[in-house]
Amino acid sequence: MNIWNFACGYVKICIMGKYPERLLNRASECGIPIKDTVLTEKGFVLCAMPASGLRKLHEIGRGSGCRIRILKRHGLPPVLRNLRFEARILLIAIIVIAAIIAASTRIWLFDIECGGLDRQIFIDALAERGVVRGVSARSFDPSELNAVISDLPGVAASVTVRRGVVLSINVQESDLGYASSGSFGLQTSASGIYALKDCVITSISVISGKALAAEGDAVSQGELLISGDRSDLKEGYSVKAVGEVYGKVLYRAVASVPLSSYELKRSGSKALVIAAELFGKELFVGMPFERYELEPVTEWFLDACPVPLALRKNECFELTKTLVELDEQEAFTRAEELALEQLYASIPKYAKVLTVHTDFIKNNDGIVTASVAATTVEIIGYGRE
């Protein structure tokens, strides 16, 4: 069914009787569009038709020996009826549908399957080519983006396809696969390969060039690890530095939690609110409280719509500031959870975590502090041929 039928409403029906095909022929002669016709093993006919033609079908079906049974109603009218929409809700639904039609020729979502690689790298590469949210789908060729993405560090190949308002990118990692925005780069000049972070070297592999550090050495960020200068072989002779270096890196994070503080808690007041979800974002029709928390009650998915659209009923709970007292163990646990969250956010996805250690401190002013340290092994220098 097309979007017009969705807006007007349509029904799926079952025609039972001795000669249901005769009723279908008469309906066609009377201008009633019948689609998706299926004949079942029991001789019933299943089909779909506009809701506006249902009364006329009943009229021409009298005396035909056939019975018409409505299986399900689809489209906007039954949804509005179930929700008991007020006039302003109906207006919002019309606006949303109009916005969907207007936005269907543009790209609004990026579905990037990149494994352990950093998604932001691909977002930035697309932005450099002018491919951002809201861009017209006719302004670029998805196949041309494959060459741009395949040139990024850690990418072996990619497939870019447009699916409606979604640009889907499937990335195949290279054997090394260590691309991470701001934390990993390729040094391929003859000058050498430099340490990306302070670390203790665990292994160094040289394909071309000369190693200036060895396993067990402590090095600082920016220190030269593999040099392309081979003047020791021949004066003025240099090569392209090629190799990879792994090292142990130390990460730290600290978080503090007071034993007593004011937090937002439910006051006991609540109200029902209705929202339309478009492209994964909820559009609420007014909120009864300044601070609130939502719990879903019921939702309806408009499956006949060309883009993801849902209507949702939520319970809205008012939040007010309330004094919360924690015992010492609860404060230690909360502080550790906050510190660990900060810690793992700073560790690259490609790093292997070896150890994690936590120390606790209770201050005289009633504040508990958790200090978390982690040791990882990760690539800290790399150059390809």
Side-chain angles (χ1 to χ4, degrees):
M1 289 286 175
N2 57 29
I3 196 167
W4 175 254
N5 285 335
F6 164 76
C8 296
Y10 67 97
V11 293
K12 290 188 176 181
I13 62 174
C14 175
I15 302 176
M16 299 171 284
K18 193 171 183 181
Y19 301 108
E21 65 277 2
R22 294 181 180 178
L23 180 58
L24 292 177
N25 291 336
R26 291 186 61 189
S28 179
E29 293 172 358
C30 294
I32 302 175
I34 304 291
K35 295 186 177 182
D36 303 331
T37 304
V38 177
L39 179 63
T40 66
E41 295 179 355
K42 296 183 180 181
F44 301 157
V45 173
L46 305 178
C47 59
M49 61 174 292
S52 58
L54 192 58
R55 178 177 296 180
K56 191 172 183 180
L57 183 66
H58 278 290
E59 292 176 356
I60 65 177
R62 292 171 185 168
S64 65
C66 294
R67 289 185 299 140
I68 302 171
R69 179 183 175 188
I70 300 175
L71 300 179
K72 194 171 183 180
R73 296 178 183 270
H74 293 271
L76 192 58
V79 173
L80 298 180
R81 208 162 36 244
N82 291 337
L83 291 177
R84 299 176 183 178
F85 262 57
E86 299 177 3
R88 59 177 183 172
I89 305 299
L90 177 60
L91 178 61
I92 290 175
I94 295 173
I95 294 174
V96 168
I97 293 175
I100 290 172
I101 298 173
S104 60
T105 59
R106 297 182 175 272
I107 297 296
W108 296 104
L109 296 174
F110 295 102
D111 179 19
I112 302 176
E113 297 291 338
C114 55
L117 305 182
D118 191 344
R119 186 175 184 271
Q120 188 60 42
I121 288 181
F122 304 99
I123 296 293
D124 294 342
L126 293 174
E128 290 179 1
R129 290 285 178 142
V131 182
V132 295
R133 280 192 176 93
V135 68
S136 173
R138 298 179 181 179
S139 64
F140 66 93
D141 184 355
S143 61
E144 294 179 355
L145 297 177
N146 289 330
V148 176
I149 296 173
S150 297
D151 288 339
L152 296 175
V155 177
S158 67
V159 177
T160 306
V161 180
R162 182 203 169 198
R163 295 186 175 93
V165 298
V166 180
L167 186 65
S168 177
I169 302 175
N170 195 313
V171 177
Q172 180 183 347
E173 296 182 58
S174 66
D175 292 338
L176 290 173
Y178 296 120
S180 177
S181 178
S183 62
F184 177 75
L186 298 179
Q187 302 89 4
T188 58
S189 66
S191 60
I193 297 173
Y194 297 84
L196 296 172
K197 300 176 182 178
D198 297 345
C199 69
V200 176
I201 293 177
T202 57
S203 69
I204 181 166
S205 174
V206 180
I207 298 176
S208 176
K210 181 180 180 181
L212 301 183
E215 182 179 343
D217 288 353
V219 298
S220 302
Q221 182 179 4
E223 187 173 333
L224 183 60
L225 304 178
I226 301 176
S227 174
D229 183 5
R230 297 310 308 268
S231 298
D232 56 324
L233 300 179
K234 182 181 178 180
E235 185 177 356
Y237 178 59
S238 63
V239 296
K240 186 177 184 180
V242 179
E244 58 184 14
V245 185
Y246 287 83
K248 284 186 180 179
V249 181
L250 179 64
Y251 293 88
R252 294 184 183 276
V254 178
S256 298
V257 172
L259 294 176
S260 62
S261 63
Y262 283 93
E263 297 181 4
L264 291 175
K265 297 288 185 181
R266 292 183 180 182
S267 66
S269 300
K270 64 178 182 179
L272 284 177
V273 295
I274 297 175
E277 184 181 282
L278 179 63
F279 301 126
K281 294 185 178 180
E282 290 187 339
L283 310 173
F284 291 97
V285 184
M287 300 306 299
F289 310 115
E290 182 180 357
R291 297 185 180 94
Y292 57 88
E293 184 177 32
L294 295 175
E295 281 189 4
V297 177
T298 312
E299 60 183 0
W300 297 267
F301 291 97
L302 309 185
D303 51 2
C305 200
V307 295
L309 177 64
L311 298 173
R312 183 175 290 108
K313 183 188 292 185
N314 301 279
E315 273 192 322
C316 182
F317 296 89
E318 183 184 24
L319 299 179
T320 57
K321 285 187 176 181
T322 307
L323 181 63
V324 177
E325 300 282 350
L326 300 176
D327 60 38
E328 193 171 296
Q329 187 57 45
E330 289 176 332
F332 281 145
T333 302
R334 185 174 296 186
E336 184 179 29
E337 289 175 351
L338 292 173
L340 286 172
E341 183 178 350
Q342 296 175 25
L343 180 76
Y344 285 112
S346 64
I347 297 176
K349 295 180 181 179
Y350 59 80
K352 180 181 180 181
V353 178
L354 298 179
T355 61
V356 178
H357 178 73
T358 305
D359 291 319
F360 297 102
I361 301 174
K362 181 182 177 183
N363 301 330
N364 295 330
D365 54 359
I367 296 178
V368 171
T369 301
S371 176
V372 183
T375 304
T376 68
V377 171
E378 57 191 81
I379 191 165
I380 53 99
Y382 171 67
R384 64 168 57 165
E385 294 183 280

